[in-house]
mmCIF file of all heavy atoms in Angstrom:
data_model
loop_
_atom_site.group_PDB
_atom_site.id
_atom_site.type_symbol
_atom_site.label_atom_id
_atom_site.label_comp_id
_atom_site.label_asym_id
_atom_site.label_seq_id
_atom_site.Cartn_x
_atom_site.Cartn_y
_atom_site.Cartn_z
ATOM 1 N N ASN A 1 8.838 33.315 91.618
ATOM 2 C CA ASN A 1 8.402 31.939 91.633
ATOM 3 C C ASN A 1 7.491 31.749 92.835
ATOM 4 O O ASN A 1 7.805 32.211 93.931
ATOM 5 C CB ASN A 1 9.592 30.986 91.706
ATOM 6 C CG ASN A 1 9.180 29.529 91.647
ATOM 7 O OD1 ASN A 1 8.498 29.103 90.718
ATOM 8 N ND2 ASN A 1 9.588 28.748 92.641
ATOM 9 N N TYR A 2 6.368 31.073 92.621
ATOM 10 C CA TYR A 2 5.392 30.851 93.673
ATOM 11 C C TYR A 2 5.034 29.383 93.776
ATOM 12 O O TYR A 2 4.966 28.679 92.766
ATOM 13 C CB TYR A 2 4.103 31.635 93.413
ATOM 14 C CG TYR A 2 4.261 33.125 93.395
ATOM 15 C CD1 TYR A 2 4.534 33.808 92.214
ATOM 16 C CD2 TYR A 2 4.126 33.866 94.562
ATOM 17 C CE1 TYR A 2 4.673 35.183 92.196
ATOM 18 C CE2 TYR A 2 4.258 35.245 94.556
ATOM 19 C CZ TYR A 2 4.533 35.894 93.371
ATOM 20 O OH TYR A 2 4.668 37.265 93.363
ATOM 21 N N ALA A 3 4.792 28.961 94.989
ATOM 22 C CA ALA A 3 4.197 27.652 95.173
ATOM 23 C C ALA A 3 2.786 27.658 94.595
ATOM 24 O O ALA A 3 2.112 28.691 94.579
ATOM 25 C CB ALA A 3 4.161 27.277 96.651
ATOM 26 N N ASP A 4 2.343 26.509 94.117
ATOM 27 C CA ASP A 4 1.060 26.441 93.425
ATOM 28 C C ASP A 4 -0.096 26.972 94.268
ATOM 29 O O ASP A 4 -0.981 27.659 93.754
ATOM 30 C CB ASP A 4 0.769 25.003 92.997
ATOM 31 C CG ASP A 4 1.633 24.538 91.849
ATOM 32 O OD1 ASP A 4 2.224 25.397 91.158
ATOM 33 O OD2 ASP A 4 1.719 23.319 91.625
ATOM 34 N N SER A 5 -0.102 26.656 95.544
ATOM 35 C CA SER A 5 -1.211 27.066 96.388
ATOM 36 C C SER A 5 -1.235 28.565 96.677
ATOM 37 O O SER A 5 -2.245 29.080 97.155
ATOM 38 C CB SER A 5 -1.187 26.290 97.710
ATOM 39 O OG SER A 5 -0.015 26.568 98.449
ATOM 40 N N MET A 6 -0.156 29.255 96.394
ATOM 41 C CA MET A 6 -0.071 30.681 96.635
ATOM 42 C C MET A 6 -0.275 31.521 95.380
ATOM 43 O O MET A 6 -0.488 32.729 95.486
ATOM 44 C CB MET A 6 1.285 31.054 97.249
ATOM 45 C CG MET A 6 1.483 30.567 98.669
ATOM 46 S SD MET A 6 1.893 28.794 98.685
ATOM 47 C CE MET A 6 2.460 28.577 100.365
ATOM 48 N N LYS A 7 -0.198 30.907 94.228
ATOM 49 C CA LYS A 7 -0.330 31.643 92.982
ATOM 50 C C LYS A 7 -1.686 32.333 92.914
ATOM 51 O O LYS A 7 -2.721 31.737 93.174
ATOM 52 C CB LYS A 7 -0.158 30.711 91.782
ATOM 53 C CG LYS A 7 1.255 30.209 91.583
ATOM 54 C CD LYS A 7 1.357 29.289 90.370
ATOM 55 C CE LYS A 7 2.770 28.790 90.169
ATOM 56 N NZ LYS A 7 2.875 27.855 89.022
ATOM 57 N N GLY A 8 -1.647 33.609 92.583
ATOM 58 C CA GLY A 8 -2.863 34.379 92.475
ATOM 59 C C GLY A 8 -3.312 35.009 93.771
ATOM 60 O O GLY A 8 -4.194 35.880 93.755
ATOM 61 N N ARG A 9 -2.743 34.598 94.892
ATOM 62 C CA ARG A 9 -3.111 35.146 96.189
ATOM 63 C C ARG A 9 -1.978 35.930 96.838
ATOM 64 O O ARG A 9 -2.233 36.919 97.521
ATOM 65 C CB ARG A 9 -3.544 34.037 97.152
ATOM 66 C CG ARG A 9 -4.777 33.266 96.707
ATOM 67 C CD ARG A 9 -5.306 32.386 97.839
ATOM 68 N NE ARG A 9 -4.316 31.403 98.280
ATOM 69 C CZ ARG A 9 -3.864 31.296 99.524
ATOM 70 N NH1 ARG A 9 -4.321 32.106 100.477
ATOM 71 N NH2 ARG A 9 -2.976 30.361 99.843
ATOM 72 N N PHE A 10 -0.755 35.469 96.648
ATOM 73 C CA PHE A 10 0.402 36.096 97.275
ATOM 74 C C PHE A 10 1.244 36.803 96.229
ATOM 75 O O PHE A 10 1.366 36.335 95.089
ATOM 76 C CB PHE A 10 1.275 35.055 97.977
ATOM 77 C CG PHE A 10 0.644 34.411 99.189
ATOM 78 C CD1 PHE A 10 -0.674 34.652 99.544
ATOM 79 C CD2 PHE A 10 1.396 33.555 99.982
ATOM 80 C CE1 PHE A 10 -1.246 34.054 100.655
ATOM 81 C CE2 PHE A 10 0.842 32.949 101.100
ATOM 82 C CZ PHE A 10 -0.478 33.199 101.436
ATOM 83 N N THR A 11 1.844 37.910 96.625
ATOM 84 C CA THR A 11 2.718 38.667 95.744
ATOM 85 C C THR A 11 3.997 39.025 96.486
ATOM 86 O O THR A 11 3.945 39.619 97.563
ATOM 87 C CB THR A 11 2.042 39.950 95.242
ATOM 88 O OG1 THR A 11 0.830 39.627 94.554
ATOM 89 C CG2 THR A 11 2.970 40.694 94.289
ATOM 90 N N ILE A 12 5.121 38.668 95.904
ATOM 91 C CA ILE A 12 6.412 39.003 96.485
ATOM 92 C C ILE A 12 7.021 40.157 95.704
ATOM 93 O O ILE A 12 6.862 40.254 94.487
ATOM 94 C CB ILE A 12 7.355 37.783 96.498
ATOM 95 C CG1 ILE A 12 8.627 38.077 97.298
ATOM 96 C CG2 ILE A 12 7.694 37.327 95.084
ATOM 97 C CD1 ILE A 12 9.497 36.845 97.538
ATOM 98 N N SER A 13 7.711 41.033 96.409
ATOM 99 C CA SER A 13 8.385 42.153 95.779
ATOM 100 C C SER A 13 9.641 42.488 96.566
ATOM 101 O O SER A 13 9.792 42.078 97.724
ATOM 102 C CB SER A 13 7.462 43.376 95.690
ATOM 103 O OG SER A 13 7.071 43.811 96.982
ATOM 104 N N ARG A 14 10.540 43.214 95.932
ATOM 105 C CA ARG A 14 11.754 43.626 96.630
ATOM 106 C C ARG A 14 12.114 45.043 96.243
ATOM 107 O O ARG A 14 11.791 45.519 95.152
ATOM 108 C CB ARG A 14 12.916 42.670 96.335
ATOM 109 C CG ARG A 14 13.430 42.710 94.904
ATOM 110 C CD ARG A 14 14.442 41.595 94.649
ATOM 111 N NE ARG A 14 15.673 41.772 95.411
ATOM 112 C CZ ARG A 14 16.584 40.823 95.602
ATOM 113 N NH1 ARG A 14 16.372 39.604 95.094
ATOM 114 N NH2 ARG A 14 17.689 41.069 96.288
ATOM 115 N N ASP A 15 12.796 45.706 97.159
ATOM 116 C CA ASP A 15 13.288 47.047 96.938
ATOM 117 C C ASP A 15 14.767 47.028 97.301
ATOM 118 O O ASP A 15 15.124 47.072 98.476
ATOM 119 C CB ASP A 15 12.522 48.066 97.783
ATOM 120 C CG ASP A 15 12.902 49.497 97.467
ATOM 121 O OD1 ASP A 15 13.993 49.735 96.925
ATOM 122 O OD2 ASP A 15 12.091 50.397 97.765
ATOM 123 N N ASN A 16 15.606 46.946 96.299
ATOM 124 C CA ASN A 16 17.039 46.834 96.552
ATOM 125 C C ASN A 16 17.619 48.090 97.195
ATOM 126 O O ASN A 16 18.600 48.014 97.930
ATOM 127 C CB ASN A 16 17.774 46.518 95.254
ATOM 128 C CG ASN A 16 17.510 45.110 94.761
ATOM 129 O OD1 ASN A 16 17.183 44.214 95.536
ATOM 130 N ND2 ASN A 16 17.652 44.911 93.456
ATOM 131 N N ALA A 17 17.025 49.234 96.916
ATOM 132 C CA ALA A 17 17.501 50.468 97.515
ATOM 133 C C ALA A 17 17.273 50.489 99.018
ATOM 134 O O ALA A 17 18.037 51.112 99.761
ATOM 135 C CB ALA A 17 16.829 51.671 96.864
ATOM 136 N N LYS A 18 16.220 49.828 99.480
ATOM 137 C CA LYS A 18 15.894 49.782 100.900
ATOM 138 C C LYS A 18 16.273 48.467 101.558
ATOM 139 O O LYS A 18 16.041 48.286 102.755
ATOM 140 C CB LYS A 18 14.405 50.038 101.106
ATOM 141 C CG LYS A 18 13.943 51.416 100.672
ATOM 142 C CD LYS A 18 12.458 51.609 100.940
ATOM 143 C CE LYS A 18 12.002 52.999 100.550
ATOM 144 N NZ LYS A 18 10.547 53.196 100.804
ATOM 145 N N ASN A 19 16.844 47.555 100.792
ATOM 146 C CA ASN A 19 17.221 46.237 101.306
ATOM 147 C C ASN A 19 16.036 45.520 101.950
ATOM 148 O O ASN A 19 16.135 44.972 103.055
ATOM 149 C CB ASN A 19 18.365 46.347 102.309
ATOM 150 C CG ASN A 19 19.691 46.666 101.652
ATOM 151 O OD1 ASN A 19 19.787 46.860 100.447
ATOM 152 N ND2 ASN A 19 20.747 46.722 102.464
ATOM 153 N N THR A 20 14.914 45.541 101.262
ATOM 154 C CA THR A 20 13.717 44.914 101.801
ATOM 155 C C THR A 20 13.080 43.985 100.780
ATOM 156 O O THR A 20 13.222 44.164 99.567
ATOM 157 C CB THR A 20 12.668 45.949 102.225
ATOM 158 O OG1 THR A 20 12.290 46.743 101.092
ATOM 159 C CG2 THR A 20 13.209 46.853 103.318
ATOM 160 N N VAL A 21 12.384 42.999 101.300
ATOM 161 C CA VAL A 21 11.550 42.141 100.492
ATOM 162 C C VAL A 21 10.217 42.010 101.206
ATOM 163 O O VAL A 21 10.174 41.882 102.436
ATOM 164 C CB VAL A 21 12.207 40.762 100.243
ATOM 165 C CG1 VAL A 21 12.478 40.038 101.564
ATOM 166 C CG2 VAL A 21 11.342 39.911 99.328
ATOM 167 N N ASN A 22 9.143 42.075 100.445
ATOM 168 C CA ASN A 22 7.809 42.069 101.019
ATOM 169 C C ASN A 22 6.990 40.921 100.460
ATOM 170 O O ASN A 22 7.249 40.419 99.376
ATOM 171 C CB ASN A 22 7.100 43.388 100.726
ATOM 172 C CG ASN A 22 7.824 44.583 101.287
ATOM 173 O OD1 ASN A 22 8.130 44.637 102.473
ATOM 174 N ND2 ASN A 22 8.111 45.560 100.428
ATOM 175 N N LEU A 23 5.997 40.546 101.224
ATOM 176 C CA LEU A 23 5.058 39.528 100.790
ATOM 177 C C LEU A 23 3.656 40.010 101.106
ATOM 178 O O LEU A 23 3.306 40.153 102.283
ATOM 179 C CB LEU A 23 5.324 38.188 101.481
ATOM 180 C CG LEU A 23 4.415 37.034 101.056
ATOM 181 C CD1 LEU A 23 4.744 36.602 99.624
ATOM 182 C CD2 LEU A 23 4.555 35.854 102.015
ATOM 183 N N LEU A 24 2.882 40.271 100.072
ATOM 184 C CA LEU A 24 1.493 40.632 100.243
ATOM 185 C C LEU A 24 0.657 39.369 100.130
ATOM 186 O O LEU A 24 0.674 38.707 99.098
ATOM 187 C CB LEU A 24 1.060 41.655 99.192
ATOM 188 C CG LEU A 24 -0.420 42.045 99.191
ATOM 189 C CD1 LEU A 24 -0.818 42.651 100.520
ATOM 190 C CD2 LEU A 24 -0.722 42.993 98.040
ATOM 191 N N MET A 25 -0.052 39.050 101.183
ATOM 192 C CA MET A 25 -0.860 37.852 101.243
ATOM 193 C C MET A 25 -2.329 38.247 101.255
ATOM 194 O O MET A 25 -2.761 39.016 102.114
ATOM 195 C CB MET A 25 -0.526 37.027 102.490
ATOM 196 C CG MET A 25 0.950 36.664 102.610
ATOM 197 S SD MET A 25 1.288 35.606 104.052
ATOM 198 C CE MET A 25 0.900 36.762 105.371
ATOM 199 N N SER A 26 -3.072 37.709 100.312
ATOM 200 C CA SER A 26 -4.486 38.023 100.187
ATOM 201 C C SER A 26 -5.311 36.740 100.201
ATOM 202 O O SER A 26 -4.796 35.651 99.953
ATOM 203 C CB SER A 26 -4.755 38.799 98.898
ATOM 204 O OG SER A 26 -4.035 40.016 98.862
ATOM 205 N N VAL A 27 -6.582 36.902 100.455
ATOM 206 C CA VAL A 27 -7.519 35.787 100.520
ATOM 207 C C VAL A 27 -6.940 34.686 101.405
ATOM 208 O O VAL A 27 -6.869 33.515 101.023
ATOM 209 C CB VAL A 27 -7.865 35.254 99.117
ATOM 210 C CG1 VAL A 27 -9.145 34.403 99.177
ATOM 211 C CG2 VAL A 27 -8.059 36.389 98.125
ATOM 212 N N LEU A 28 -6.536 35.062 102.583
ATOM 213 C CA LEU A 28 -5.908 34.121 103.496
ATOM 214 C C LEU A 28 -6.901 33.083 103.995
ATOM 215 O O LEU A 28 -8.078 33.382 104.214
ATOM 216 C CB LEU A 28 -5.292 34.862 104.673
ATOM 217 C CG LEU A 28 -3.998 35.610 104.347
ATOM 218 C CD1 LEU A 28 -3.682 36.626 105.434
ATOM 219 C CD2 LEU A 28 -2.845 34.629 104.179
ATOM 220 N N GLN A 29 -6.414 31.888 104.165
ATOM 221 C CA GLN A 29 -7.204 30.766 104.635
ATOM 222 C C GLN A 29 -6.554 30.172 105.876
ATOM 223 O O GLN A 29 -5.362 30.368 106.119
ATOM 224 C CB GLN A 29 -7.323 29.699 103.544
ATOM 225 C CG GLN A 29 -7.953 30.198 102.255
ATOM 226 C CD GLN A 29 -9.381 30.667 102.455
ATOM 227 O OE1 GLN A 29 -10.171 30.019 103.138
ATOM 228 N NE2 GLN A 29 -9.723 31.800 101.859
ATOM 229 N N PRO A 30 -7.319 29.434 106.682
ATOM 230 C CA PRO A 30 -6.730 28.820 107.874
ATOM 231 C C PRO A 30 -5.501 27.966 107.573
ATOM 232 O O PRO A 30 -4.593 27.893 108.403
ATOM 233 C CB PRO A 30 -7.881 27.979 108.436
ATOM 234 C CG PRO A 30 -9.107 28.728 108.027
ATOM 235 C CD PRO A 30 -8.794 29.272 106.659
ATOM 236 N N ASP A 31 -5.462 27.335 106.409
ATOM 237 C CA ASP A 31 -4.304 26.527 106.047
ATOM 238 C C ASP A 31 -3.043 27.356 105.836
ATOM 239 O O ASP A 31 -1.946 26.802 105.750
ATOM 240 C CB ASP A 31 -4.587 25.715 104.781
ATOM 241 C CG ASP A 31 -5.494 24.521 105.024
ATOM 242 O OD1 ASP A 31 -5.722 24.171 106.199
ATOM 243 O OD2 ASP A 31 -5.975 23.926 104.041
ATOM 244 N N ASP A 32 -3.190 28.665 105.733
ATOM 245 C CA ASP A 32 -2.030 29.538 105.610
ATOM 246 C C ASP A 32 -1.375 29.822 106.954
ATOM 247 O O ASP A 32 -0.321 30.461 107.003
ATOM 248 C CB ASP A 32 -2.418 30.863 104.948
ATOM 249 C CG ASP A 32 -2.877 30.687 103.516
ATOM 250 O OD1 ASP A 32 -2.243 29.913 102.774
ATOM 251 O OD2 ASP A 32 -3.879 31.332 103.125
#
């Protein structure tokens, strides 16, 4: 689930084996 302003720019993922969650942020703007 993504906030509207992040859709298409941010990607969340998780790796349960490593107990990690990541956020790839692209096309970043000053408002971010």
Side-chain angles (χ1 to χ4, degrees):
N1 183 55
Y2 297 91
D4 288 343
S5 63
M6 291 78 167
K7 290 180 180 178
R9 298 192 300 122
F10 292 6
T11 302
I12 189 171
S13 61
R14 68 188 293 165
D15 186 338
N16 289 335
K18 296 181 178 180
N19 287 3
T20 60
V21 60
N22 300 306
L23 182 70
L24 175 60
M25 305 183 294
S26 300
V27 197
L28 286 163
Q29 302 298 316
D31 285 348
D32 295 317

